[in-house]
């Protein structure tokens, strides 16, 4: 079922039919509860993109957990990419399409100077809609997106390939078949 990092994959729980029928929810809370498992996940996640970066960007909410740890490991700061209406300062935003309807993500407009090299981090990439919107947001503000790292890839949904088609190098630790 999984190719790489079987030790990490074994710590991720699969819950069928959440949040709706037909979805196999990949639950990282069991991985977070395991001290050695969490440490090796962060080590390997931080090793996926060895190039120099200025910031890590984490996508709300699970991307904050892994993003913060990777940023600390790489010695850089963390940029929060948040859902609409959560940030107190002046923001730059992008809208994107979900399976049903629209959503919006934002960042503070003064978070970095144009040309900043940024590594995007999230827990999981499925269709890639969220990550592609985050890449658009970062580029809109002048960032150079040097890569995107995810703990989990659902390759059947094509999100990683979608990001690669937009010239973003993608690294993932474990892959699960299906949705
Ligand atoms: P997407 O925009 O389709 O790539 O979806 C990405 C976001 O949805 C990720 O940040 C995940 O947290 C969440 N997500 C999508 N599918 C799943 C799944 N099967 N199990 C757990 N989380 C998921």
């Amino acid at each position: 079922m999984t190719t790489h990092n079987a030790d990490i994959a074994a710590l991720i729980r699969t819950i069928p039919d959440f949040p709706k029928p037909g979805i196999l929810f990949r639950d990282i809370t069991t991985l977070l509860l395991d001290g050695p498992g969490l440490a090796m996940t962060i080590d390997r996640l931080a090793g996926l993109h060895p190039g120099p970066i200025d910031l890590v960007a984490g996508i709300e909410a699970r991307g904050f957990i892994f993003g913060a740890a990777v940023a600390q490991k790489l010695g850089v700061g963390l940029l929060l990419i948040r859902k609409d209406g959560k940030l107190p300062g002046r923001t730059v935003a992008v809208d994107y399409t979900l399976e049903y309807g629209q959503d919006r993500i934002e960042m503070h407009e003064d978070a970095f100077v144009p040309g900043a090299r940024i590594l995007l981090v999230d827990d999981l990439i499925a269709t890639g809609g969220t990550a592609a919107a985050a890449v658009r947001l970062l580029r809109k503000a002048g960032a150079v997106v040097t890569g995107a790292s995810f703990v989990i890839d659902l390759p059947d949904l094509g999100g990683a390939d979608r990001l690669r088609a937009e010239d973003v190098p993608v690294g993932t630790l474990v892959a699960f078949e299906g949705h």
Side-chain angles (χ1 to χ4, degrees):
M1 175 148 192
T2 55
T3 45
H4 304 102
N5 298 304
D7 46 358
I8 293 173
L11 294 169
I12 298 164
R13 177 169 63 177
T14 297
I15 299 187
D17 300 322
F18 183 89
K20 55 186 183 185
I23 302 286
L24 288 176
F25 192 86
R26 307 300 180 174
D27 177 20
I28 51 97
T29 65
T30 42
L31 171 63
L32 296 176
L33 286 166
D34 189 288
L38 178 58
M40 70 193 181
T41 301
I42 299 308
D43 277 349
R44 293 180 208 173
L45 203 55
L48 286 175
H49 290 284
I53 57 166
D54 300 304
L55 281 176
V56 166
I59 306 176
E60 186 170 0
R62 280 166 278 167
F64 292 173
I65 301 166
F66 295 104
V70 167
Q72 192 274 336
K73 190 110 198 150
L74 297 179
V76 299
L78 177 71
L79 166 67
L80 303 187
I81 295 180
R82 301 211 63 178
K83 302 283 166 58
D84 192 22
K86 302 276 188 73
L87 290 167
R90 286 172 60 93
T91 58
V92 50
V94 296
D95 295 312
Y96 62 104
T97 308
L98 295 169
E99 199 177 343
Y100 305 105
Q102 287 270 114
D103 215 341
R104 172 179 288 217
I105 51 173
E106 299 182 327
M107 52 169 262
H108 276 139
E109 66 174 13
D110 59 355
F112 56 79
V113 292
R117 297 161 300 181
I118 298 189
L119 172 66
L120 187 66
V121 173
D122 203 357
D123 67 325
L124 181 146
I125 183 157
T127 65
T130 312
V135 169
R136 267 203 293 137
L137 177 66
L138 293 168
R139 285 179 171 165
K140 185 174 172 180
V144 176
V145 182
T146 60
S149 300
F150 305 88
V151 179
I152 302 166
D153 183 21
L154 305 183
D156 296 341
L157 294 176
D161 287 340
R162 176 176 174 182
L163 282 194
R164 290 184 185 113
E166 293 180 28
D167 294 322
V168 179
V170 178
T172 65
L173 293 180
V174 305
F176 290 112
E177 290 168 6
H179 289 209

